[in-house]
Amino acid sequence: MSPVSVLCFLLFHLLIPSPAQADGDITIGSSLTAKKDNSSWLSPSGDFAFGFRTLPANPDNPGEVFLLSIWYNKIPSRTIVWFANGDHPAPENSKLEFTSDLGLVLTDPRGERLWKSENIVGTISHATFNDTGNFIILGSNLEKLWESFEDPDDTLLPSQTLGKKKYLSSRQSEGSFSRGKFQLQMLDSGDLVLNTINLPSSYANEPYYSTGTARDSNKSSPGKEVVFDNSASPFVLRENGDKVYLSQVKVPSASDFYSRITLSFDGVLTQYVHPKNSSSNGTWISLWSEPENICTAVLAPRGSGVCGYNSICSLGNNNRPKCGCPEKYTLLDPNDEYGSCTPNFTLSCEEDEKKLKQGSIEDLYTFVELEHTGWRRLIMPC
């Protein structure tokens, strides 16, 4: 091949986009590797990215690990809206491959499988990553074999639905993507509820929020699914077509704002919007949230609350809970502000007997007044 031919060949392949990422389409055999500043697959507009995000080291992730995820790609926060294998993020040099038989397969550097796209039945043709943030694996007849919208984590996006037996699950904490104890789920009865679960099991406690759309022969037909339509106004769609909106708050234009509904690690369901202008340093704005006061909503027998045992919950800004320890109590884990509190004094009958010999019984105990505080008894299920 002449030098001129070689130059033309190189220029052709440099200027033509990779077939793995043409208009959001992903071809069989495409792959991504978990490394710092690694490339990702983009939706056609570039609004969303699919790839690996580096997670900072913390008690749950002592070393540098990578989370396979989908995120908003044009805003500074690069907010994650979907992720895989949150309980066990991938070590560096793990590989995601798009295969012809299993679809997406994530393996560690030793080749051991960490995660795969589940329940794929049929012949895989290719995948597409669209501007709604949905990653879809398509069959030979262009039927959907798997999609990220049908395997949600803690977030719903516009045009996404949540049907019966589907649920959102909160994270364990702001920085941990392990499964948390709060759920949003569409019950078979047609009711959309928020409830806690008793980790590590999936035992669901009584709901602390409900849309009241359960099946009732004396009322309207039951709920069928949650619809987060393109106008960014979420509602429960009843079987007869009626709509029960989750909020009456006016939603900004979808052409100017990104929107999402997220179940936070603290159990609060919130709809947020963010200006699309890439030059803006704006943040996510809360439009509405449920429940109004999570501190009083999650009470026995609905399971443990937002804060840990012996801790006091109070409502802060934007309906977010704040946790604190009573006087003479400290956090069991100083790094977990939502964790349990432990007494920093000794509780024992032996110590009391010693003190009693040295003084009166009144000297044994101290009463502290706590304002605006209620006490509850936790009822544990059998």
Side-chain angles (χ1 to χ4, degrees), residues 158-202:
S159 77
Q160 191 170 1
T161 62
L162 189 73
K164 292 179 180 179
K165 298 183 179 180
K166 296 288 184 181
Y167 59 87
L168 298 187
S169 180
S170 70
R171 305 177 192 175
Q172 200 166 85
S173 67
E174 189 69 44
S176 171
F177 290 82
S178 296
R179 182 176 64 145
K181 61 183 175 183
F182 297 98
Q183 281 186 346
L184 173 76
Q185 59 175 325
M186 194 76 193
L187 301 179
D188 286 337
S189 66
D191 206 3
L192 178 69
V193 301
L194 286 167
N195 62 265
T196 58
I197 60 173
N198 293 333
L199 293 172
S201 75
S202 296

Side-chain angles (χ1 to χ4, degrees), residues 97-108:
E97 293 183 273
F98 182 45
T99 67
S100 60
D101 53 347
L102 298 177
L104 296 171
V105 179
L106 175 63
T107 55
D108 67 14

Side-chain angles (χ1 to χ4, degrees), residues 36-87:
K36 278 188 176 180
D37 303 319
N38 190 39
S39 61
S40 56
W41 295 329
L42 300 178
S43 66
S45 68
D47 281 347
F48 292 95
F50 182 103
F52 290 101
R53 289 282 298 277
T54 307
L55 296 183
N58 60 51
D60 293 329
N61 306 313
E64 191 171 76
V65 290
F66 296 79
L67 185 70
L68 178 62
S69 52
I70 294 172
W71 62 88
Y72 279 103
N73 192 50
K74 289 184 176 180
I75 58 177
S77 63
R78 299 205 303 164
T79 305
I80 292 174
V81 296
W82 178 91
F83 53 91
N85 213 39
D87 289 331

Side-chain angles (χ1 to χ4, degrees), residues 82 134-135 146-152 160-163 166:
W82 178 91
N134 192 15
F135 191 100
W146 182 91
E147 54 184 314
S148 58
F149 271 16
E150 289 297 312
D151 185 29
Q160 191 170 1
T161 62
L162 189 73
K166 296 288 184 181

Side-chain angles (χ1 to χ4, degrees), residues 21 78 84 97 110 129 137 174 195 210 224 257 288 317 325 331 363:
Q21 185 61 60
R78 299 205 303 164
E97 293 183 273
R110 297 174 297 179
F129 185 35
I137 297 176
E174 189 69 44
N195 62 265
S210 165
K224 176 184 177 184
F257 286 82
W288 58 265
N317 295 329
C325 295
L331 284 171
D363 296 330

Side-chain angles (χ1 to χ4, degrees), residues 196 205-208 294-305 374-379:
T196 58
N205 296 301
E206 291 183 14
Y208 60 90
I294 189 67
C295 291
T296 58
V298 186
L299 300 174
R302 295 183 173 93
S304 62
W375 301 96
R376 63 188 175 88
R377 183 169 57 119
L378 180 63
I379 301 174

